[in-house]
């Protein structure tokens, strides 16, 4: 389980948008690449350890925009690398819709404070 | 649609494993990060244009392992950056199971030759 890794990344999806399987996967992939780039720039040691450990990731869900923005603010307050995915709105959701939040890679114990109670996607 | 972008990345998932929504998202995220790292190292201009263009991604599906390995060989033959995700097998699939293939970022016209006929995930 991701909890056994020293470093991990959380991908947090809004459930209220009712995105399909492929759309959800693409939003998570976008969050993963962009949050990983943030970490690579700001916390290169975290990024390196995470890659070496096999890039542990966990997909989680929140009910709505309010929940995702609350987590985003908490990640910013804690100084954790993160990225909010704003969709182009070409399919399934209106342009500019915030679909997904990536936090980390970061040390698991720091991430768990924010995301440890969220249900799996 | 991703076809309108000059650069894109394809995330190709095995359907026969019947992975759940969260597991599928995590496998695609892994493929996206690792194939993006491959491109960053080998084709930094492709990577940069892809990021600047907004990181277009498309999630596609194939029926089984044979189909995914055929595409992997084709990507290697064409010299396109790619990454095969081998799962740790902690949940849902046995350890070492190949779940997903990421190809690109690469110029869309080069990627379409390989993946243009695959159905959306």
């Amino acid at each position: 389980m991701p909890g056994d890794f020293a470093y991990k990344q959380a991908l947090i999806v809004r459930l209220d948008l009712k995105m399909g399987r492929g759309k959800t996967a693409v939003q998570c992939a976008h969050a993963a690449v962009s949050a990983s780039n943030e970490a690579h720039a700001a916390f290169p040691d975290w990024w390196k350890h995470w890659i070496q450990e096999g890039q542990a990731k966990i997909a989680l869900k929140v009910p709505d925009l309010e929940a995702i923005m609350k987590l985003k603010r908490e990640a910013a307050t804690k100084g954790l690398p993160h990225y909010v995915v704003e969709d182009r709105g070409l399919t399934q959701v209106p342009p500019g819709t915030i679909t997904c939040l990536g936090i980390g890679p970061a040390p698991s114990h720091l991430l768990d404070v924010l995301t440890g109670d969220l249900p799996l996607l």
Side-chain angles (χ1 to χ4, degrees), chain A:
Chain A
M1 300 294 292
D4 298 336
F5 296 91
Y7 294 83
K8 66 186 174 187
Q9 182 180 56
L11 308 169
I12 301 146
V13 175
R14 269 178 73 179
L15 266 199
D16 58 326
L17 297 174
K18 300 183 196 308
M19 296 180 289
R21 176 176 60 177
K23 179 110 186 160
T24 299
V26 163
Q27 303 303 310
C28 285
H30 197 126
V33 170
S34 292
S36 160
N37 289 348
E38 296 288 324
H40 188 254
F43 301 93
D45 282 353
W46 291 3
W47 184 87
K48 188 178 163 192
H49 283 118
W50 176 65
I51 292 283
Q52 286 174 342
E53 215 179 22
Q55 267 188 56
K57 295 178 205 71
I58 190 164
L60 304 167
K61 61 187 172 188
V62 291
D64 54 22
L65 178 63
E66 189 180 351
I68 220 164
M69 294 313 286
K70 179 168 178 284
L71 281 165
K72 185 240 181 300
R73 288 191 300 272
E74 289 173 355
T77 301
K78 301 273 186 194
L80 297 181
H82 62 281
Y83 188 86
V84 171
V85 178
E86 203 172 306
D87 195 65
R88 292 190 187 91
L90 300 175
T91 61
Q92 297 187 32
V93 300
T97 303
I98 287 171
T99 55
C100 184
L101 167 67
I103 311 179
S108 295
H109 68 278
L110 297 181
L111 197 57
D112 287 343
V113 174
L114 270 66
T115 62
D117 290 335
L118 296 180
L120 292 173
L121 176 62

